[in-house]
Amino acid sequence: MNSEDEVFEAVGALADPVRRGLYRHVAATPGAVGRDAAAAAAGISRSLAAFHLDKLVESGLLAVTYQRLSGRSGPGAGRPAKLYLRAPGERAVSLPPRSYDAVGRLLANVVDGAGLDRELQSAARAAGAAEGAELGGDVDPVAALRSRGYEPYGDGATVRLNNCPFHSLADEFPALVCGMNLAFIEGLLPGCAGGGDWTAAMDPPPEGCCVALSKTNEA
């Protein structure tokens, strides 16, 4: 768990608009991002991108890994490139302090212990349908999920979700929370533009949300 000062320092690092844009690009990209790609996405020089990326690492928002991008190994393969990816963990600021995560964990524990999975899924599906109705058929599923923090991205014909908005609870109560998440998205889709052409299903990747979308009539 991060101290309050560490959280404020991390959030303060995003006050710079260039740094904020770089963080968003790296966080929304599956896998690690190199300096050249980050610089191109932000429209800045490689050296400036490297400076800001390293500041985000110092703030604990990004992590670093090293890979040989050529795919070769051994002598003559060159030095591994420095790549960036979103750091693990969560950082939240609430003024004054609030403990919604503690309440969520308590409620999840009660629902899980009482075996109320179906009731939770029914409520989640209804909540998704209510949010979908507010969209009025004007927003497609990808945009709708992006606005809710899922960070959707294309993986061939499949749309995967790079972020689980309920990550900490899903780690502790995977069956309960993932089932709720799927039901919510199923309820949301019919209200989206073209949402009837998509199907949501459990297809957990190594990282990210357990739900994936695919076209219903995909050949």
Side-chain angles (χ1 to χ4, degrees), residues 65-152:
T65 186
Y66 293 88
Q67 297 177 19
R68 284 193 172 92
L69 300 182
S70 66
R72 296 182 298 165
S73 60
R79 295 176 59 187
K82 187 176 185 178
L83 306 178
Y84 301 83
L85 65 161
R86 178 165 48 195
E90 300 177 4
R91 291 158 185 84
V93 175
S94 176
L95 298 172
R98 296 288 187 256
S99 297
Y100 300 115
D101 57 338
V103 173
R105 188 167 290 104
L106 175 62
L107 291 173
N109 191 52
V110 171
V111 172
D112 190 45
L116 297 174
D117 301 57
R118 290 186 179 181
E119 289 80 358
L120 176 62
Q121 290 169 21
S122 178
R125 191 172 286 104
E131 289 203 24
E134 293 179 3
L135 299 176
D138 297 327
V139 180
D140 66 48
V142 172
L145 292 169
R146 181 177 293 115
S147 71
R148 285 156 180 77
Y150 285 94
E151 299 178 358

Side-chain angles (χ1 to χ4, degrees), residues 13-26:
L14 297 174
D16 183 283
V18 173
R19 202 169 293 172
R20 190 163 61 246
L22 286 167
Y23 173 77
R24 284 174 172 162
H25 175 70
V26 173

